[in-house]
Amino acid sequence: QVQLMQSGGGSVQVGGALRLSCQASTYIGRNNCWGWFRQAPGKEREGVAKIDTGTSETLYADSVKGRGTISQDKVAKALYLQIDDLEQEDTAMYYCAIALGRECNNVASQRHFDFWGQGTQVTVSS
């Protein structure tokens, strides 16, 4: 079992930035995939970014490409997401998750993620 505890988020103005954190309850070794997801009201949950725990290779959704940065601190057992130049469309509940035993290139679906954080609300207003 891996528990993921999220922090950060809140209300931010358009053009601002957010930084979310996700703290794991145990050390996260290689050959795993961390991810950030979000769900806006009335919409399906979508992937935002992923990072491979071994190679640190990252993947971003088109919606945050160029604005988002996913990173990890393996010593601190933490995952981070920063999004700059926020848009109102970034308003959503954000979730971190981890897929154990899979590199990100082998994660084709959200159902491959084994453990999820509790969610953090981000509201972007003008």
Side-chain angles (χ1 to χ4, degrees):
Q1 283 277 356
V2 179
Q3 293 182 334
L4 301 177
M5 183 62 67
Q6 296 178 223
S7 59
S11 296
V12 191
Q13 288 196 319
V14 170
L18 67 83
R19 181 176 171 85
L20 304 178
S21 300
C22 176
Q23 181 72 49
S25 60
T26 186
Y27 176 75
I28 304 297
R30 297 175 61 86
N31 301 319
N32 303 295
C33 181
W34 289 99
W36 285 100
F37 300 82
R38 68 186 182 187
Q39 186 167 21
K43 295 187 177 182
E44 292 187 355
R45 188 168 59 193
E46 63 175 2
V48 176
K50 295 185 290 188
I51 184 167
D52 191 284
T53 60
T55 65
S56 295
E57 181 179 356
T58 58
L59 299 168
Y60 294 95
D62 288 342
S63 57
V64 300
K65 200 168 289 184
R67 301 187 297 124
T69 303
I70 185 171
S71 60
Q72 62 177 339
D73 184 333
K74 297 185 71 176
V75 174
K77 301 176 292 183
L79 176 73
Y80 306 100
L81 176 69
Q82 176 149 342
I83 303 179
D84 300 318
D85 194 19
L86 284 163
E87 305 166 352
Q88 286 189 299
E89 289 73 23
D90 294 315
T91 295
M93 184 73 79
Y94 284 73
Y95 299 89
C96 64
I98 188 160
L100 299 178
R102 291 178 182 268
E103 296 177 350
C104 287
N105 286 335
N106 293 326
V107 175
S109 169
Q110 293 185 27
R111 67 176 184 271
H112 290 149
F113 285 84
D114 303 287
F115 299 101
W116 293 78
Q118 80 277 19
T120 303
Q121 178 66 39
V122 172
T123 302
V124 183
S125 58
S126 59

